Amino acid sequence: MKKLILLFTIISGLAFGQIKTEIIDTGEYIGRTGYSYIKKKDNQIDLCYKNIKYSSIMDMDCVSFSDNNSNLENLYKTIVDGMSNPPKEGLLVSIEDTEFKLKFSRHSTTFVKYENGMFISSSGPISKGQIDKLFGKR
């Protein structure tokens, strides 16, 4: 009787417990820092950060754009220039169909994402050293 139950358990485990695996190509990481990273897959750039709008859950948000005309390098230069001479109101950055605002202080910057004029998400403050690391400059 024990052998019959064991055989039934093994057969049902094999019939219903099939596991499928799939390799997911995530692309290459350009840089990571804390809860932010930049990833490149083919010609698509993803700038992802922890959304601090929600304080009790881990919520990541991404800004995606293609790297056709050195968009990533231009974004890096815009951020570094904004940190050295911060504008009072911040900068509205438009890359293709993607828009987000950069808020600056003397020592950090914050990404703020809007859609149709509504606040969607915000990153935490990111320092100059973290920006360099995020964009793969060190």
Side-chain angles (χ1 to χ4, degrees):
M1 184 67 176
K2 288 182 182 179
K3 289 183 181 181
L4 185 61
I5 292 173
L6 180 63
L7 181 64
F8 178 71
T9 304
I10 291 173
I11 291 174
S12 65
L14 291 174
F16 298 114
Q18 295 179 2
I19 297 174
K20 295 181 182 181
T21 59
E22 183 178 330
I23 297 173
I24 300 172
D25 181 20
T26 59
E28 83 176 91
Y29 285 93
I30 293 173
R32 292 181 184 206
T33 176
Y35 291 110
S36 303
Y37 62 87
I38 296 178
K39 181 172 65 169
K40 182 175 185 177
K41 182 178 178 183
D42 300 326
N43 200 29
Q44 184 75 18
I45 302 289
D46 293 328
L47 168 61
C48 301
Y49 53 88
K50 180 182 177 190
N51 181 6
I52 63 169
K53 178 180 176 183
Y54 300 104
S55 60
S56 62
I57 59 174
M58 182 66 166
D59 181 29
M60 298 293 285
D61 200 2
C62 294
V63 176
S64 299
F65 53 89
S66 64
D67 196 25
N68 292 338
N69 301 318
S70 301
N71 289 334
L72 188 63
E73 189 62 33
N74 292 337
L75 178 61
Y76 174 74
K77 288 178 184 176
T78 301
I79 292 172
V80 171
D81 291 345
M83 289 179 81
S84 62
N85 187 16
K88 292 180 182 177
E89 298 297 319
L91 291 175
L92 184 63
V93 178
S94 297
I95 303 175
E96 298 164 359
D97 295 336
T98 304
E99 282 190 350
F100 56 95
K101 188 174 185 178
L102 296 172
K103 292 185 178 180
F104 296 99
S105 68
R106 182 58 80 180
H107 303 289
S108 67
T109 187
T110 303
F111 299 100
V112 181
K113 185 176 175 182
Y114 292 93
E115 286 182 8
N116 301 325
M118 305 235 353
F119 172 77
I120 300 296
S121 65
S122 176
S123 73
I126 303 173
S127 69
K128 169 70 169 86
Q130 290 173 321
I131 291 291
D132 289 342
K133 192 174 177 184
L134 186 63
F135 281 84
K137 303 296 181 185
R138 48 172 202 171

Short mmCIF file of all heavy atoms in Angstrom, two decimals, residues 4-64:
data_model
loop_
_atom_site.label_atom_id
_atom_site.label_comp_id
_atom_site.label_asym_id
_atom_site.label_seq_id
_atom_site.Cartn_x
_atom_site.Cartn_y
_atom_site.Cartn_z
N LEU A 4 2.23 1.87 -3.42
CA LEU A 4 1.22 2.38 -4.32
C LEU A 4 1.02 3.89 -4.11
O LEU A 4 0.91 4.65 -5.07
CB LEU A 4 -0.11 1.63 -4.11
CG LEU A 4 -1.23 1.99 -5.06
CD1 LEU A 4 -0.84 1.68 -6.49
CD2 LEU A 4 -2.49 1.25 -4.69
N ILE A 5 0.99 4.33 -2.87
CA ILE A 5 0.85 5.76 -2.57
C ILE A 5 2.09 6.52 -3.05
O ILE A 5 1.98 7.61 -3.64
CB ILE A 5 0.62 5.98 -1.06
CG1 ILE A 5 -0.75 5.43 -0.66
CG2 ILE A 5 0.72 7.46 -0.68
CD1 ILE A 5 -1.02 5.43 0.83
N LEU A 6 3.27 5.98 -2.84
CA LEU A 6 4.49 6.60 -3.28
C LEU A 6 4.52 6.71 -4.81
O LEU A 6 4.87 7.76 -5.36
CB LEU A 6 5.71 5.81 -2.78
CG LEU A 6 7.07 6.37 -3.18
CD1 LEU A 6 7.29 7.75 -2.59
CD2 LEU A 6 8.17 5.42 -2.73
N LEU A 7 4.12 5.67 -5.50
CA LEU A 7 4.07 5.67 -6.96
C LEU A 7 3.07 6.71 -7.47
O LEU A 7 3.37 7.46 -8.40
CB LEU A 7 3.70 4.28 -7.48
CG LEU A 7 3.64 4.14 -9.00
CD1 LEU A 7 5.01 4.37 -9.61
CD2 LEU A 7 3.10 2.77 -9.38
N PHE A 8 1.91 6.77 -6.85
CA PHE A 8 0.89 7.75 -7.23
C PHE A 8 1.40 9.19 -7.02
O PHE A 8 1.19 10.06 -7.84
CB PHE A 8 -0.40 7.52 -6.43
CG PHE A 8 -1.47 8.52 -6.75
CD1 PHE A 8 -2.13 8.48 -7.97
CD2 PHE A 8 -1.80 9.52 -5.85
CE1 PHE A 8 -3.12 9.41 -8.27
CE2 PHE A 8 -2.78 10.45 -6.14
CZ PHE A 8 -3.44 10.39 -7.36
N THR A 9 2.12 9.43 -5.92
CA THR A 9 2.67 10.75 -5.62
C THR A 9 3.71 11.15 -6.66
O THR A 9 3.73 12.28 -7.14
CB THR A 9 3.30 10.77 -4.21
OG1 THR A 9 2.31 10.36 -3.26
CG2 THR A 9 3.81 12.13 -3.85
N ILE A 10 4.56 10.23 -7.02
CA ILE A 10 5.61 10.52 -8.01
C ILE A 10 5.00 10.80 -9.38
O ILE A 10 5.37 11.76 -10.06
CB ILE A 10 6.63 9.37 -8.07
CG1 ILE A 10 7.44 9.33 -6.77
CG2 ILE A 10 7.55 9.54 -9.27
CD1 ILE A 10 8.37 8.15 -6.66
N ILE A 11 4.03 9.99 -9.79
CA ILE A 11 3.40 10.16 -11.10
C ILE A 11 2.65 11.48 -11.15
O ILE A 11 2.75 12.23 -12.13
CB ILE A 11 2.49 8.97 -11.45
CG1 ILE A 11 3.34 7.73 -11.70
CG2 ILE A 11 1.61 9.28 -12.65
CD1 ILE A 11 2.55 6.47 -11.91
N SER A 12 1.89 11.82 -10.11
CA SER A 12 1.14 13.09 -10.13
C SER A 12 2.10 14.28 -10.06
O SER A 12 1.83 15.32 -10.66
CB SER A 12 0.13 13.14 -8.99
OG SER A 12 0.79 13.12 -7.74
N GLY A 13 3.21 14.13 -9.37
CA GLY A 13 4.20 15.20 -9.30
C GLY A 13 4.82 15.45 -10.66
O GLY A 13 5.06 16.60 -11.05
N LEU A 14 5.08 14.38 -11.39
CA LEU A 14 5.65 14.53 -12.73
C LEU A 14 4.63 15.09 -13.71
O LEU A 14 4.96 15.87 -14.60
CB LEU A 14 6.19 13.19 -13.23
CG LEU A 14 7.43 12.66 -12.50
CD1 LEU A 14 7.76 11.26 -13.01
CD2 LEU A 14 8.60 13.58 -12.68
N ALA A 15 3.38 14.70 -13.57
CA ALA A 15 2.36 15.13 -14.52
C ALA A 15 1.95 16.59 -14.30
O ALA A 15 1.74 17.32 -15.27
CB ALA A 15 1.12 14.24 -14.39
N PHE A 16 1.86 17.02 -13.06
CA PHE A 16 1.36 18.37 -12.78
C PHE A 16 2.46 19.35 -12.37
O PHE A 16 2.21 20.55 -12.35
CB PHE A 16 0.31 18.32 -11.67
CG PHE A 16 -0.89 17.51 -12.04
CD1 PHE A 16 -1.17 16.33 -11.37
CD2 PHE A 16 -1.73 17.92 -13.06
CE1 PHE A 16 -2.27 15.58 -11.71
CE2 PHE A 16 -2.83 17.17 -13.41
CZ PHE A 16 -3.11 16.00 -12.74
N GLY A 17 3.61 18.88 -12.07
CA GLY A 17 4.66 19.76 -11.56
C GLY A 17 5.73 20.06 -12.57
O GLY A 17 6.90 20.13 -12.21
N GLN A 18 5.39 20.24 -13.81
CA GLN A 18 6.39 20.51 -14.82
C GLN A 18 6.87 21.96 -14.68
O GLN A 18 6.08 22.88 -14.56
CB GLN A 18 5.82 20.28 -16.21
CG GLN A 18 5.46 18.83 -16.44
CD GLN A 18 4.87 18.62 -17.82
OE1 GLN A 18 4.76 19.54 -18.59
NE2 GLN A 18 4.51 17.38 -18.10
N ILE A 19 8.16 22.11 -14.72
CA ILE A 19 8.76 23.42 -14.58
C ILE A 19 9.38 23.80 -15.92
O ILE A 19 10.15 23.03 -16.49
CB ILE A 19 9.85 23.42 -13.48
CG1 ILE A 19 9.22 23.10 -12.13
CG2 ILE A 19 10.58 24.75 -13.45
CD1 ILE A 19 10.22 22.94 -11.02
N LYS A 20 9.05 24.97 -16.39
CA LYS A 20 9.63 25.47 -17.63
C LYS A 20 10.59 26.59 -17.30
O LYS A 20 10.30 27.43 -16.46
CB LYS A 20 8.53 25.99 -18.57
CG LYS A 20 7.59 24.93 -19.04
CD LYS A 20 6.56 25.52 -19.98
CE LYS A 20 5.59 24.44 -20.41
NZ LYS A 20 4.58 24.94 -21.33
N THR A 21 11.72 26.58 -17.95
CA THR A 21 12.68 27.66 -17.75
C THR A 21 12.87 28.39 -19.06
O THR A 21 12.77 27.82 -20.14
CB THR A 21 14.05 27.11 -17.28
OG1 THR A 21 14.54 26.20 -18.25
CG2 THR A 21 13.92 26.43 -15.94
N GLU A 22 13.13 29.69 -18.92
CA GLU A 22 13.32 30.53 -20.09
C GLU A 22 14.41 31.54 -19.77
O GLU A 22 14.41 32.16 -18.71
CB GLU A 22 12.02 31.26 -20.41
CG GLU A 22 12.08 32.10 -21.64
CD GLU A 22 10.73 32.76 -21.94
OE1 GLU A 22 9.68 32.18 -21.60
OE2 GLU A 22 10.76 33.85 -22.48
N ILE A 23 15.35 31.70 -20.68
CA ILE A 23 16.43 32.66 -20.48
C ILE A 23 15.94 34.01 -20.98
O ILE A 23 15.48 34.16 -22.10
CB ILE A 23 17.69 32.23 -21.24
CG1 ILE A 23 18.21 30.90 -20.68
CG2 ILE A 23 18.76 33.30 -21.14
CD1 ILE A 23 19.35 30.31 -21.45
N ILE A 24 16.04 35.00 -20.11
CA ILE A 24 15.60 36.35 -20.44
C ILE A 24 16.83 37.21 -20.66
O ILE A 24 17.70 37.31 -19.79
CB ILE A 24 14.73 36.94 -19.31
CG1 ILE A 24 13.51 36.06 -19.10
CG2 ILE A 24 14.34 38.37 -19.62
CD1 ILE A 24 12.69 36.44 -17.89
N ASP A 25 16.91 37.84 -21.82
CA ASP A 25 18.01 38.74 -22.12
C ASP A 25 17.70 40.10 -21.53
O ASP A 25 16.81 40.80 -22.00
CB ASP A 25 18.22 38.84 -23.64
CG ASP A 25 19.38 39.75 -23.99
OD1 ASP A 25 20.24 39.98 -23.12
OD2 ASP A 25 19.42 40.23 -25.13
N THR A 26 18.40 40.46 -20.49
CA THR A 26 18.13 41.72 -19.80
C THR A 26 18.96 42.87 -20.33
O THR A 26 18.77 43.99 -19.91
CB THR A 26 18.37 41.58 -18.29
OG1 THR A 26 19.73 41.19 -18.09
CG2 THR A 26 17.43 40.57 -17.67
N GLY A 27 19.89 42.60 -21.23
CA GLY A 27 20.75 43.66 -21.73
C GLY A 27 21.94 43.86 -20.81
O GLY A 27 22.17 43.09 -19.88
N GLU A 28 22.70 44.90 -21.06
CA GLU A 28 23.88 45.18 -20.25
C GLU A 28 23.65 46.39 -19.36
O GLU A 28 23.00 47.36 -19.77
CB GLU A 28 25.12 45.39 -21.12
CG GLU A 28 25.26 46.78 -21.67
CD GLU A 28 26.53 46.98 -22.45
OE1 GLU A 28 26.49 46.76 -23.66
OE2 GLU A 28 27.54 47.37 -21.83
N TYR A 29 24.16 46.31 -18.15
CA TYR A 29 24.03 47.42 -17.21
C TYR A 29 25.17 48.40 -17.47
O TYR A 29 26.33 48.01 -17.49
CB TYR A 29 24.07 46.93 -15.77
CG TYR A 29 22.78 46.26 -15.35
CD1 TYR A 29 22.62 44.88 -15.47
CD2 TYR A 29 21.73 47.00 -14.87
CE1 TYR A 29 21.44 44.27 -15.11
CE2 TYR A 29 20.54 46.40 -14.49
CZ TYR A 29 20.41 45.04 -14.62
OH TYR A 29 19.24 44.44 -14.26
N ILE A 30 24.83 49.65 -17.67
CA ILE A 30 25.84 50.69 -17.85
C ILE A 30 26.36 51.13 -16.50
O ILE A 30 27.54 51.33 -16.30
CB ILE A 30 25.24 51.88 -18.63
CG1 ILE A 30 24.93 51.42 -20.06
CG2 ILE A 30 26.20 53.06 -18.64
CD1 ILE A 30 24.19 52.42 -20.89
N GLY A 31 25.45 51.26 -15.54
CA GLY A 31 25.85 51.65 -14.19
C GLY A 31 24.74 51.41 -13.20
O GLY A 31 23.57 51.37 -13.56
N ARG A 32 25.13 51.21 -11.94
CA ARG A 32 24.18 50.99 -10.84
C ARG A 32 24.64 51.79 -9.64
O ARG A 32 25.83 51.93 -9.39
CB ARG A 32 24.16 49.53 -10.41
CG ARG A 32 23.59 48.58 -11.38
CD ARG A 32 23.63 47.20 -10.77
NE ARG A 32 23.17 46.22 -11.72
CZ ARG A 32 22.64 45.08 -11.40
NH1 ARG A 32 22.51 44.75 -10.14
NH2 ARG A 32 22.25 44.24 -12.31
N THR A 33 23.67 52.26 -8.91
CA THR A 33 23.96 52.92 -7.65
C THR A 33 22.71 52.87 -6.77
O THR A 33 21.65 53.30 -7.18
CB THR A 33 24.42 54.37 -7.85
OG1 THR A 33 24.60 54.97 -6.58
CG2 THR A 33 23.45 55.19 -8.66
N GLY A 34 22.85 52.32 -5.59
CA GLY A 34 21.72 52.22 -4.68
C GLY A 34 20.51 51.60 -5.35
O GLY A 34 20.54 50.46 -5.78
N TYR A 35 19.43 52.36 -5.46
CA TYR A 35 18.21 51.86 -6.07
C TYR A 35 18.00 52.42 -7.47
O TYR A 35 16.88 52.51 -7.96
CB TYR A 35 17.00 52.22 -5.20
CG TYR A 35 16.96 51.46 -3.90
CD1 TYR A 35 17.19 52.11 -2.70
CD2 TYR A 35 16.72 50.10 -3.90
CE1 TYR A 35 17.16 51.40 -1.51
CE2 TYR A 35 16.69 49.40 -2.71
CZ TYR A 35 16.91 50.05 -1.52
OH TYR A 35 16.87 49.36 -0.34
N SER A 36 19.09 52.82 -8.15
CA SER A 36 18.99 53.34 -9.51
C SER A 36 19.93 52.56 -10.41
O SER A 36 20.99 52.12 -9.97
CB SER A 36 19.38 54.82 -9.54
OG SER A 36 18.57 55.57 -8.67
N TYR A 37 19.55 52.43 -11.67
CA TYR A 37 20.45 51.81 -12.65
C TYR A 37 20.09 52.26 -14.05
O TYR A 37 18.99 52.72 -14.32
CB TYR A 37 20.42 50.28 -12.55
CG TYR A 37 19.09 49.63 -12.84
CD1 TYR A 37 18.74 49.30 -14.15
CD2 TYR A 37 18.20 49.34 -11.82
CE1 TYR A 37 17.52 48.70 -14.42
CE2 TYR A 37 16.98 48.74 -12.09
CZ TYR A 37 16.65 48.41 -13.39
OH TYR A 37 15.45 47.82 -13.66
N ILE A 38 21.07 52.14 -14.94
CA ILE A 38 20.87 52.39 -16.36
C ILE A 38 21.23 51.11 -17.09
O ILE A 38 22.29 50.54 -16.86
CB ILE A 38 21.72 53.57 -16.87
CG1 ILE A 38 21.29 54.87 -16.20
CG2 ILE A 38 21.60 53.69 -18.40
CD1 ILE A 38 22.10 56.07 -16.60
N LYS A 39 20.31 50.68 -17.94
CA LYS A 39 20.47 49.43 -18.66
C LYS A 39 20.31 49.70 -20.15
O LYS A 39 19.48 50.51 -20.55
CB LYS A 39 19.41 48.44 -18.17
CG LYS A 39 19.46 47.09 -18.80
CD LYS A 39 18.52 46.13 -18.12
CE LYS A 39 17.08 46.55 -18.30
NZ LYS A 39 16.13 45.54 -17.88
N LYS A 40 21.12 49.02 -20.97
CA LYS A 40 21.03 49.17 -22.42
C LYS A 40 20.79 47.81 -23.05
O LYS A 40 21.50 46.85 -22.78
CB LYS A 40 22.32 49.78 -22.98
CG LYS A 40 22.26 50.01 -24.47
CD LYS A 40 23.51 50.73 -24.95
CE LYS A 40 23.37 51.05 -26.42
NZ LYS A 40 24.52 51.80 -26.92
N LYS A 41 19.75 47.74 -23.87
CA LYS A 41 19.45 46.53 -24.62
C LYS A 41 19.22 46.95 -26.05
O LYS A 41 18.33 47.77 -26.31
CB LYS A 41 18.23 45.81 -24.06
CG LYS A 41 17.91 44.52 -24.78
CD LYS A 41 16.72 43.83 -24.17
CE LYS A 41 16.41 42.58 -24.97
NZ LYS A 41 15.22 41.92 -24.46
N ASP A 42 20.00 46.41 -26.95
CA ASP A 42 19.99 46.84 -28.35
C ASP A 42 20.27 48.34 -28.38
O ASP A 42 21.33 48.76 -27.96
CB ASP A 42 18.68 46.48 -29.05
CG ASP A 42 18.41 44.97 -29.04
OD1 ASP A 42 19.40 44.21 -29.12
OD2 ASP A 42 17.24 44.57 -28.95
N ASN A 43 19.35 49.15 -28.83
CA ASN A 43 19.54 50.59 -28.89
C ASN A 43 18.63 51.31 -27.90
O ASN A 43 18.46 52.52 -27.96
CB ASN A 43 19.29 51.10 -30.32
CG ASN A 43 19.92 52.44 -30.56
OD1 ASN A 43 20.93 52.77 -29.96
ND2 ASN A 43 19.31 53.23 -31.43
N GLN A 44 18.02 50.56 -26.98
CA GLN A 44 17.07 51.11 -26.01
C GLN A 44 17.77 51.32 -24.67
O GLN A 44 18.42 50.42 -24.15
CB GLN A 44 15.89 50.14 -25.84
CG GLN A 44 14.80 50.63 -24.95
CD GLN A 44 13.95 51.70 -25.61
OE1 GLN A 44 13.95 51.86 -26.81
NE2 GLN A 44 13.22 52.43 -24.80
N ILE A 45 17.62 52.51 -24.11
CA ILE A 45 18.18 52.85 -22.81
C ILE A 45 17.05 52.91 -21.79
O ILE A 45 16.02 53.54 -22.05
CB ILE A 45 18.90 54.22 -22.85
CG1 ILE A 45 20.01 54.24 -23.89
CG2 ILE A 45 19.41 54.61 -21.48
CD1 ILE A 45 21.21 53.42 -23.57
N ASP A 46 17.23 52.27 -20.64
CA ASP A 46 16.27 52.34 -19.55
C ASP A 46 16.97 52.96 -18.34
O ASP A 46 17.95 52.42 -17.85
CB ASP A 46 15.75 50.95 -19.16
CG ASP A 46 14.91 50.32 -20.23
OD1 ASP A 46 14.21 51.06 -20.95
OD2 ASP A 46 14.94 49.08 -20.36
N LEU A 47 16.46 54.08 -17.87
CA LEU A 47 16.92 54.73 -16.66
C LEU A 47 15.88 54.42 -15.59
O LEU A 47 14.76 54.91 -15.66
CB LEU A 47 17.06 56.24 -16.87
CG LEU A 47 17.26 57.11 -15.65
CD1 LEU A 47 18.55 56.73 -14.93
CD2 LEU A 47 17.29 58.57 -16.03
N CYS A 48 16.23 53.56 -14.65
CA CYS A 48 15.28 53.10 -13.64
C CYS A 48 15.71 53.58 -12.25
O CYS A 48 16.89 53.65 -11.96
CB CYS A 48 15.18 51.58 -13.66
SG CYS A 48 14.65 50.93 -15.26
N TYR A 49 14.73 53.87 -11.42
CA TYR A 49 14.99 54.37 -10.08
C TYR A 49 13.86 53.94 -9.15
O TYR A 49 12.77 53.64 -9.58
CB TYR A 49 15.12 55.90 -10.07
CG TYR A 49 13.95 56.60 -10.71
CD1 TYR A 49 12.82 56.93 -9.98
CD2 TYR A 49 13.97 56.91 -12.07
CE1 TYR A 49 11.74 57.56 -10.56
CE2 TYR A 49 12.89 57.54 -12.67
CZ TYR A 49 11.79 57.87 -11.91
OH TYR A 49 10.72 58.47 -12.50
N LYS A 50 14.17 53.94 -7.84
CA LYS A 50 13.14 53.64 -6.84
C LYS A 50 12.22 54.84 -6.72
O LYS A 50 12.69 55.97 -6.54
CB LYS A 50 13.78 53.33 -5.50
CG LYS A 50 12.74 53.00 -4.44
CD LYS A 50 13.36 52.75 -3.10
CE LYS A 50 12.25 52.50 -2.09
NZ LYS A 50 12.74 52.48 -0.74
N ASN A 51 10.94 54.58 -6.83
CA ASN A 51 9.93 55.64 -6.71
C ASN A 51 9.71 55.93 -5.23
O ASN A 51 9.18 55.10 -4.50
CB ASN A 51 8.64 55.20 -7.39
CG ASN A 51 7.56 56.24 -7.34
OD1 ASN A 51 7.77 57.36 -6.89
ND2 ASN A 51 6.38 55.87 -7.80
N ILE A 52 10.09 57.12 -4.79
CA ILE A 52 9.91 57.46 -3.37
C ILE A 52 8.53 58.02 -3.08
O ILE A 52 8.24 58.38 -1.94
CB ILE A 52 11.01 58.42 -2.87
CG1 ILE A 52 10.95 59.75 -3.60
CG2 ILE A 52 12.36 57.79 -2.97
CD1 ILE A 52 11.81 60.82 -2.97
N LYS A 53 7.69 58.10 -4.10
CA LYS A 53 6.31 58.51 -3.86
C LYS A 53 5.64 57.52 -2.91
O LYS A 53 4.80 57.89 -2.10
CB LYS A 53 5.56 58.58 -5.19
CG LYS A 53 4.10 58.95 -5.08
CD LYS A 53 3.44 58.97 -6.45
CE LYS A 53 1.96 59.24 -6.33
NZ LYS A 53 1.29 59.20 -7.64
N TYR A 54 6.02 56.26 -3.01
CA TYR A 54 5.50 55.21 -2.13
C TYR A 54 6.58 54.86 -1.14
O TYR A 54 7.64 54.39 -1.50
CB TYR A 54 5.11 53.97 -2.94
CG TYR A 54 4.06 54.28 -3.98
CD1 TYR A 54 4.39 54.40 -5.32
CD2 TYR A 54 2.75 54.47 -3.61
CE1 TYR A 54 3.42 54.69 -6.26
CE2 TYR A 54 1.78 54.77 -4.55
CZ TYR A 54 2.13 54.87 -5.88
OH TYR A 54 1.18 55.17 -6.80
N SER A 55 6.33 55.08 0.12
CA SER A 55 7.37 54.88 1.12
C SER A 55 7.34 53.49 1.75
O SER A 55 8.30 53.09 2.39
CB SER A 55 7.25 55.93 2.23
OG SER A 55 5.98 55.83 2.84
N SER A 56 6.26 52.73 1.58
CA SER A 56 6.18 51.45 2.26
C SER A 56 6.40 50.25 1.35
O SER A 56 6.54 49.14 1.84
CB SER A 56 4.81 51.31 2.94
OG SER A 56 3.79 51.34 1.97
N ILE A 57 6.44 50.45 0.05
CA ILE A 57 6.66 49.33 -0.85
C ILE A 57 7.82 49.64 -1.78
O ILE A 57 8.19 50.79 -1.97
CB ILE A 57 5.40 48.99 -1.68
CG1 ILE A 57 4.97 50.20 -2.52
CG2 ILE A 57 4.28 48.50 -0.81
CD1 ILE A 57 3.83 49.91 -3.47
N MET A 58 8.38 48.60 -2.37
CA MET A 58 9.47 48.76 -3.33
C MET A 58 8.85 48.95 -4.71
O MET A 58 8.34 48.00 -5.29
CB MET A 58 10.38 47.54 -3.29
CG MET A 58 11.55 47.64 -4.20
SD MET A 58 12.63 48.95 -3.64
CE MET A 58 14.06 48.59 -4.59
N ASP A 59 8.86 50.16 -5.21
CA ASP A 59 8.26 50.48 -6.49
C ASP A 59 9.32 51.10 -7.38
O ASP A 59 9.84 52.17 -7.07
CB ASP A 59 7.09 51.44 -6.28
CG ASP A 59 6.39 51.81 -7.57
OD1 ASP A 59 6.39 50.99 -8.50
OD2 ASP A 59 5.85 52.92 -7.64
N MET A 60 9.67 50.42 -8.47
CA MET A 60 10.66 50.94 -9.41
C MET A 60 9.92 51.55 -10.60
O MET A 60 8.89 51.04 -11.02
CB MET A 60 11.59 49.83 -9.90
CG MET A 60 12.41 49.15 -8.84
SD MET A 60 13.65 50.22 -8.10
CE MET A 60 14.87 50.27 -9.38
N ASP A 61 10.46 52.65 -11.11
CA ASP A 61 9.90 53.28 -12.30
C ASP A 61 11.05 53.51 -13.27
O ASP A 61 12.20 53.69 -12.85
CB ASP A 61 9.21 54.58 -11.95
CG ASP A 61 8.23 55.03 -13.03
OD1 ASP A 61 8.08 54.29 -14.02
OD2 ASP A 61 7.63 56.09 -12.87
N CYS A 62 10.74 53.51 -14.56
CA CYS A 62 11.78 53.65 -15.59
C CYS A 62 11.39 54.72 -16.60
O CYS A 62 10.22 54.92 -16.89
CB CYS A 62 11.99 52.33 -16.33
SG CYS A 62 12.66 51.02 -15.32
N VAL A 63 12.41 55.36 -17.11
CA VAL A 63 12.29 56.27 -18.24
C VAL A 63 13.06 55.62 -19.37
O VAL A 63 14.24 55.31 -19.21
CB VAL A 63 12.88 57.66 -17.89
CG1 VAL A 63 12.85 58.57 -19.09
CG2 VAL A 63 12.16 58.27 -16.72
N SER A 64 12.41 55.38 -20.50
CA SER A 64 13.04 54.67 -21.61
C SER A 64 13.14 55.57 -22.83
O SER A 64 12.23 56.35 -23.12
CB SER A 64 12.23 53.43 -21.98
OG SER A 64 12.17 52.55 -20.90
#
